[in-house]
Amino acid sequence: MKETTPLFDNSAAASGPVECLGQPFPNDAARRKHFLKLLAERLKDPEFRNQEGFPKGTDEAILAMSDPPYYTACPNPWLADFVACYGKPCDPSESYNREPLAVDVSVGKTDQLYKAHSYHTKVPHLAIVPSILHYTKPGDIVLDGFAGSGVAAQWCGSAPAVYRHGLEMEWKTQGKPAPKWGARRVILNDLSPAATFIAANYNLPFDVDAFAQAGKALLKEVEQEIGWMYETLHTDGKTKGRIEYTVWSQLYTCPECAGEINFTAEALDPQTKRVKEQFPCPHCGAEMTKQRMDRAYVNKLDSATGETIQTPKRAPALIVYKIGNNRYEKLPDAHDLALIAKIEAMPLPPQVPSIAIPPMHMTHERARMDHAGVTHIHHFFLPRAAQAMALLWKKALAWPDARIREMLLFMVEQAVWGISVLNRYKTIMHGRTQSSNVNQYLSGVYYVPSQHSEVSPWYNLSNRLERLTTKAFRGYRAGLDVAAINTGTTARLPLPDASIDYIFTDPPFGENIYYADLNFLVESWHGVTTDAQPEAIIDRFKKKALPEYQHLMQRCFAEYQRVLKPGRWMTVVFSNSRAGVWNAIQVALQQAGFVVAEVTALDKKQGSYRQVTSTTAVKQDLVISVYKPNGGLEQRLTERGASPESAWDFVETHLKQLPVTKHRKGELEQVVERDPRRIYDRLVAWFVRHDYPVPLSSDEFLSGLHQRDFPERDGMIFLPSQVGEYDKKRAQAAEAPQMELFVSDERSAIDWLAEFLKKRPSTYQEVHPEFITQLGAGWRKHEEKPELAALLEDNFLRYEGTGPVPTQISNYLSKNFHDYRGLDKDDPRLMAKAKERWYVPDPNKAADLERRREKSLLKEFETYRTYTGRRLKEFRLEVLRAGFKAAWSQKDLQTIIKVAGKIPDVALQEDEKLLLWYDQALTLAEAGP
């Protein structure tokens, strides 16, 4: 394996001989020319261009964005070469052992490097660094199929001393070994050319000083050519000032008198700069609100399309300008209006994209853009803004040095949204003071405001250039030959099997953000746009519902599973509170062959983590830690088939991957994944994913844990080799760890009762008032609420008052009631006090109860199966789970599919277990014999 190339500071430019993928070149320009020629040849190949997810654009546009072999604005033909040159082959004999690690995905959002480029959403690099350090060593290859981890991988080698010291001290207090510092290789992928272009410029080295000089020169040249467009006369009528921004107002008509109303002139308070909710019509005096008025429109010829279009009628209402260091504001005068008219008469520059906006959710489904007169890209820009953006883009694109050219475009493209009509004139109040924020557009949505702030290019970019060169990239060290960036679908990565050491990924979740829609505006300027067909989101406009989203995510996760080395880890950041989306992700992960080891939620108020026990209660960012089982487990399963030994082999392997202890603010915390029921769920998913019947029933599993001497502590299962460590930590803790339970269905109600009765064996009368308080608003909509008596009868034991008092009850009574201490278990006084108390059975009797309960559930499932109505209005999820599982063991796929059709889609989507059975049954049924 080749040694990691030393990193160098971005203040120094690469010059002289370079080596790339093992090939020597006299200089970097020669390297670029060589690989661009090869890429140009590949673009002529129809098979190469017909790949799924290939972006839309001409060869010339794709080549202009690319910097091969490090970055291509299309599928990267050199990724496999990158791995072969810099990676390390998979070695089954290598000793590798890690526990899952929780990460705070909100850390670092104020860091200047994080803010160097705005994107719809991204995880800060400072939040990712601990994970990469934990799971990898220097030189390992990290993959992110949604292009957000590159800076973090390099930061592991270039982090400043103060950061290193802080993290080392934090890990030391947690009892973890010190991190091994040093850059990791990184492979980044995204479907969007806009996203990969950002990733490339974050991760490929460049000369910061040269970029700073070029940026200043570009802005100066633009000022020399079109500075006259931003000149205004001071109120003295003689002195010229430079316009910083012009506030444009939407014009409306009064519903009473049909008079034209300038919204800003009438509604904006000139002193506070706040918009009044009500104001009088200047023509008839009628009380007006924004909702009462009608937009005014004007018909005009669109010179770019040759068509007559209807656009909102606007008028300049306020001009803010500077003379020297002093800022002034005024109403537009005749000189300003004449200047605007002169610019409006100018032809649209060829650099401004004039393509039609294709049908998409963000613009057409809710008519967000139609009422604003935006049907083509150039409609996003007023005439002066179009001239400015065109000149900025033209000069950046013509810069002679290729790497500096890319960085100039990286800077200029950030003005696309801020200079467009999406930019709002807004005032933010802070107590009794006010602060006008005029360069602010709504993120994550196309929205044309009624008050638009048309900013000058210098107002938008001068401070940004300063931040990029002095705060963000100054001192940040990007490495040569450390990053490779690919543009394409994550479902098809041009990488060898088992070649990646670790994956950190923050994929799209549900319908939170419509990335392809939002990227279309900036990508249009590059001339390379996203192929949205394989985009893994929920998008009703593109007819992508939750099942389609799950299928797309499963394909992405399956590709991750293919390229990840056996026994290695993947961290998935999840940011959607919909239970259906969360379950789709879990099922997709399990169907792809991953095993979930931990799910943690960041408690933003407490600044700590908690493990997730209920999807309906989760509103925070989730971090899912999963691993790819080692090849030995897979091989043994193939050899043994669906045998009990295969099941126990999985259990032992899985327990090795789980943390022995977890701490929260110094207190011992429950390791949720060590709960026997959670372990059994993972076991079931493992066998279902491999199309095997589950070799152990739940009661056989529970009794087997006891018979095979798996130690149990505080409701958690351990390996004999692990329990000593837990006992040591437990002895140091003030109290036993407590599991957080949220009662939302029958299963969670049983879990709550089990925890309650473990601590306090009680009579029905004692349990009932406590239980009723748990059945609150969080109960699932279609889930039938169970009777407490039935839950107790089916899942727990009651002491009838005959024979010795069970240990569970006698321990509780002797500990909590003074009069019953030291009494024998057959003492009449103790027996009388214990009578009618419900308690949690020991493991052997629990298995008997489980068998009895399962028989009862299957009997009720038969009524669901034979139900002739169209839909079941209420049902028990436990009955459905037991029935689906039994049908799976008999390979009765049609029963699963038919009964699933009798329950609401949302109920199916919001239950991970049902979704797993149904998805697999549907897949096999469609595949046929």
Side-chain angles (χ1 to χ4, degrees):
M1 172 183 162
K2 183 177 177 179
E3 293 298 319
T4 302
T5 304
L7 301 177
F8 61 93
D9 194 296
N10 267 334
S11 62
S15 60
V18 297
E19 185 177 301
C20 179
L21 299 182
Q23 294 180 253
F25 296 94
N27 52 53
D28 197 58
R31 181 272 307 171
R32 182 187 294 262
K33 181 179 179 181
H34 170 78
F35 285 105
L36 277 173
K37 181 181 179 181
L38 293 178
L39 181 59
E41 292 171 358
R42 290 298 298 271
L43 289 171
K44 301 301 181 186
D45 181 359
E47 185 177 348
F48 179 69
R49 263 192 167 273
N50 288 335
Q51 294 182 64
E52 179 187 23
F54 199 99
K56 301 173 183 178
T58 64
D59 291 3
E60 292 73 21
I62 291 173
L63 291 170
M65 285 187 79
S66 302
D67 187 2
Y70 305 123
Y71 166 54
T72 57
C74 64
N76 192 328
W78 293 281
L79 287 194
D81 296 330
F82 183 87
V83 170
C85 188
Y86 305 118
K88 185 174 70 172
C90 181
D91 181 4
S93 65
E94 180 184 9
S95 176
Y96 179 88
N97 183 39
R98 299 290 191 279
E99 290 185 352
L101 177 74
V103 294
D104 183 346
V105 294
S106 67
V107 166
K109 289 191 174 181
T110 60
D111 183 83
Q112 290 298 325
L113 190 58
Y114 171 78
K115 297 193 298 183
H117 196 295
S118 56
Y119 193 63
H120 320 298
T121 180
K122 55 184 175 179
V123 177
H125 62 282
L126 294 180
I128 307 172
V129 168
S131 280
I132 295 178
L133 289 170
H134 174 76
Y135 289 110
T136 67
K137 59 182 180 296
D140 279 356
I141 296 184
V142 177
L143 168 67
D144 188 341
F146 297 92
S149 305
V151 173
Q154 303 208 46
W155 188 263
C156 293
S158 62
V162 63
Y163 176 84
R164 296 188 182 209
H165 178 72
L167 188 64
E168 288 170 357
M169 290 299 99
E170 181 183 341
W171 282 24
K172 186 175 181 179
T173 59
Q174 297 173 3
K176 295 177 58 177
K180 294 182 179 179
W181 298 99
R184 277 65 168 166
R185 308 280 182 184
V186 62
I187 294 176
L188 305 172
N189 173 80
D190 201 279
L191 193 65
S192 163
T196 57
F197 186 73
I198 294 170
N201 284 289
Y202 260 115
N203 288 281
L204 301 182
F206 68 96
D207 187 325
V208 172
D209 290 330
F211 169 52
Q213 294 171 9
K216 291 176 183 177
L218 183 147
L219 292 177
K220 185 175 182 180
E221 289 178 18
V222 169
E223 182 177 15
Q224 290 172 344
E225 291 193 32
I226 62 169
W228 60 271
M229 294 185 181
Y230 293 90
E231 289 181 349
T232 187
L233 289 177
H234 190 40
T235 49
D236 62 8
K238 299 178 182 178
T239 311
K240 287 185 179 180
R242 182 207 268 176
I243 296 173
E244 291 203 317
Y245 56 90
T246 301
V247 179
W248 289 78
S249 173
Q250 168 73 55
L251 300 183
Y252 292 87
T253 57
C254 173
E256 302 293 336
C257 68
E260 195 169 78
I261 300 174
N262 183 310
F263 178 75
T264 301
E266 303 303 326
L268 187 70
D269 187 309
Q271 299 301 319
T272 67
K273 293 295 187 291
R274 301 186 72 176
V275 174
K276 305 170 188 174
E277 291 187 7
Q278 296 182 332
F279 51 90
C281 170
H283 308 292
C284 68
E287 197 70 21
M288 290 290 108
T289 64
K290 191 175 180 181
Q291 290 71 30
R292 282 200 69 197
M293 301 183 297
D294 298 318
R295 288 175 180 266
Y297 288 89
V298 60
N299 293 324
K300 67 175 186 178
L301 179 67
D302 185 345
S303 60
T305 64
E307 299 175 353
T308 299
I309 59 173
Q310 186 181 67
T311 64
K313 195 172 184 181
R314 298 184 179 92
L318 182 70
I319 294 177
V320 175
Y321 60 101
K322 290 186 77 172
I323 299 176
N325 293 323
N326 297 318
R327 177 177 290 179
Y328 305 92
E329 64 177 56
K330 69 170 194 174
L331 299 178
D333 55 28
H335 173 270
D336 299 311
L337 297 177
L339 178 65
I340 290 171
K342 177 181 178 180
I343 297 169
E344 285 181 345
M346 297 174 65
L348 185 73
Q351 290 78 20
V352 181
S354 57
I355 57 176
I357 302 171
M360 60 175 66
H361 173 91
M362 271 293 125
T363 59
H364 292 284
E365 184 172 276
R366 298 181 183 175
R368 285 195 180 105
M369 295 293 101
D370 293 346
H371 73 267
V374 177
T375 60
H376 291 65
I377 291 295
H378 62 287
H379 295 159
F380 277 105
F381 304 92
L382 296 184
R384 179 165 47 192
Q387 298 290 335
M389 268 307 309
L391 191 58
L392 286 166
W393 198 265
K394 177 183 177 181
K395 289 192 171 294
L397 199 59
W399 205 262
D401 182 275
R403 186 66 190 96
I404 299 303
R405 176 170 68 242
E406 292 161 357
M407 284 304 301
L408 289 174
L409 289 171
F410 175 84
M411 176 187 74
V412 169
E413 71 172 16
Q414 296 187 65
V416 169
W417 279 64
I419 289 182
S420 75
V421 294
L422 301 171
N423 201 45
R424 299 180 297 164
Y425 179 67
K426 180 178 175 61
T427 299
I428 299 176
M429 301 300 295
H430 301 282
R432 296 181 180 180
T433 63
Q434 65 200 37
S435 173
S436 296
N437 188 335
V438 300
N439 194 17
Q440 186 181 66
Y441 50 83
L442 288 175
S443 62
V445 65
Y446 287 133
Y447 172 73
V448 178
S450 55
Q451 292 187 114
H452 161 55
S453 176
E454 181 204 7
V455 301
S456 76
W458 310 281
Y459 184 88
N460 185 281
L461 290 175
S462 293
N463 289 337
R464 189 181 302 276
L465 175 63
E466 179 69 16
R467 289 196 302 271
L468 288 175
T469 54
T470 64
K471 296 180 180 179
F473 287 105
R474 179 70 64 186
Y476 165 60
R477 298 164 63 192
L480 189 63
D481 297 335
V482 171
I485 300 102
N486 182 72
T487 307
T489 173
T490 306
R492 182 180 175 179
L493 296 170
L495 288 168
D497 295 350
S499 58
I500 299 300
D501 296 294
Y502 170 62
I503 299 172
F504 187 100
T505 190
D506 177 27
F509 287 101
E511 52 189 331
N512 282 12
I513 297 175
Y514 299 86
Y515 292 91
D517 291 9
L518 295 170
N519 287 333
F520 189 78
L521 175 55
V522 170
E523 289 176 351
S524 296
W525 283 84
H526 285 285
V528 188
T529 59
T530 302
D531 172 16
Q533 186 60 37
E535 185 180 25
I537 65 169
I538 295 174
D539 189 336
R540 286 165 288 180
F541 192 85
K542 296 184 177 73
K543 295 181 172 54
K544 292 181 182 179
L546 192 54
E548 287 76 22
Y549 167 72
Q550 179 185 326
H551 176 68
L552 286 164
M553 285 309 308
Q554 185 174 323
R555 290 186 59 208
C556 294
F557 288 145
E559 189 70 345
Y560 276 152
Q561 205 269 355
R562 179 185 69 81
V563 302
L564 186 64
K565 292 178 180 177
R568 297 303 183 110
W569 289 83
M570 175 169 74
T571 301
V572 183
V573 176
F574 174 85
S575 303
N576 189 310
S577 59
R578 277 187 58 191
V581 177
W582 161 232
N583 285 320
I585 287 295
Q586 285 207 95
V587 170
L589 282 166
Q590 292 171 146
Q591 293 287 62
F594 286 105
V595 181
V596 179
E598 186 172 83
V599 182
T600 53
L602 173 66
D603 186 335
K604 294 179 180 176
K605 293 182 179 179
Q606 299 293 329
S608 60
Y609 305 100
R610 65 181 182 84
Q611 290 173 281
V612 177
T613 57
S614 170
T615 57
T616 59
V618 174
K619 302 297 180 187
Q620 300 98 338
D621 294 320
L622 301 184
V623 178
I624 312 165
S625 300
V626 302
Y627 64 89
K628 176 180 177 178
N630 61 49
L633 180 64
E634 296 272 3
Q635 182 179 347
R636 293 191 296 273
L637 176 63
T638 303
E639 294 169 353
R640 295 169 177 168
S643 67
E645 287 308 311
S646 294
W648 294 114
D649 187 13
F650 171 83
V651 172
E652 291 184 12
T653 302
H654 183 54
L655 287 173
K656 290 177 184 176
Q657 301 287 355
L658 304 181
V660 175
T661 58
K662 297 286 290 184
H663 293 83
R664 178 181 178 185
K665 290 194 171 182
E667 296 181 1
L668 204 59
E669 188 178 27
Q670 192 90 8
V671 180
V672 175
E673 289 294 330
R674 289 190 176 274
D675 184 289
R677 291 154 298 190
R678 190 66 71 96
I679 297 171
Y680 186 67
D681 288 344
R682 303 304 180 207
L683 169 70
V684 169
W686 171 253
F687 281 92
V688 170
R689 187 261 169 182
H690 288 85
D691 297 338
Y692 282 128
V694 182
L696 296 176
S697 65
S698 55
D699 58 281
E700 289 171 335
F701 172 74
L702 291 173
S703 60
L705 288 174
H706 181 69
Q707 294 165 5
R708 289 173 174 261
D709 295 324
F710 283 92
E712 184 271 337
R713 298 289 191 276
D714 300 319
M716 297 177 289
I717 303 299
F718 296 88
L719 293 172
S721 60
Q722 297 172 327
V723 74
E725 179 185 344
Y726 180 80
D727 287 342
K728 182 179 179 181
K729 298 290 185 182
R730 174 68 182 83
Q732 299 170 354
E735 58 182 46
Q738 306 297 315
M739 182 180 292
E740 295 182 73
L741 291 173
F742 302 91
V743 178
S744 60
D745 59 11
E746 183 176 338
R747 179 71 262 171
S748 56
I750 295 170
D751 292 344
W752 182 88
L753 283 170
E755 290 298 309
F756 182 88
L757 294 176
K758 277 181 185 177
K759 301 174 188 174
R760 180 182 163 190
S762 305
T763 65
Y764 177 89
Q765 290 76 14
E766 292 171 336
V767 176
H768 187 264
E770 301 279 355
F771 179 73
I772 289 300
T773 62
Q774 299 297 316
L775 305 182
W779 194 261
R780 292 190 178 186
K781 181 178 179 182
H782 301 282
E783 169 83 337
E784 181 182 331
K785 285 190 178 181
E787 293 292 336
L788 174 60
L791 290 179
L792 291 171
E793 186 69 33
D794 289 344
N795 299 280
F796 304 97
L797 296 177
R798 181 176 58 183
Y799 176 61
E800 303 293 349
T802 59
V805 175
T807 301
Q808 296 92 317
I809 300 178
S810 65
N811 287 346
Y812 166 72
L813 292 177
S814 63
K815 185 182 294 185
N816 292 277
F817 297 91
H818 184 271
D819 293 343
Y820 299 98
R821 292 177 184 173
L823 296 180
D824 292 335
K825 292 182 180 179
D826 55 0
D827 188 292
R829 290 168 294 175
L830 186 66
M831 293 169 66
K833 183 68 173 177
K835 188 177 181 181
E836 302 297 323
R837 289 184 182 271
W838 292 94
Y839 64 97
V840 179
D842 62 43
N844 286 330
K845 292 182 180 179
D848 293 337
L849 270 178
E850 189 69 27
R851 280 191 288 271
R852 188 178 74 184
R853 180 171 180 270
E854 187 169 352
K855 185 177 180 180
S856 174
L857 293 173
L858 291 177
K859 184 178 180 180
E860 188 170 345
F861 180 75
E862 185 63 18
T863 66
Y864 293 2
R865 191 183 69 80
T866 57
Y867 178 72
T868 57
R870 186 171 177 271
R871 291 271 184 174
L872 290 164
K873 292 183 179 179
E874 278 197 336
F875 40 81
R876 293 171 62 193
L877 289 175
E878 287 295 285
V879 170
L880 290 170
R881 291 166 184 162
F884 279 23
K885 182 186 169 191
W888 172 264
S889 67
Q890 299 162 15
K891 289 299 177 183
D892 185 0
L893 307 179
Q894 290 306 315
T895 289
I896 297 174
I897 295 169
K898 288 178 181 178
V899 175
K902 297 177 183 180
I903 64 176
D905 290 341
V906 66
L908 185 66
Q909 293 163 357
E910 291 189 355
D911 190 273
E912 175 198 347
K913 299 178 183 67
L914 294 182
L915 192 59
L916 177 67
W917 297 117
Y918 173 72
D919 186 74
Q920 191 73 356
L922 202 61
T923 300
L924 293 178
E926 290 174 349

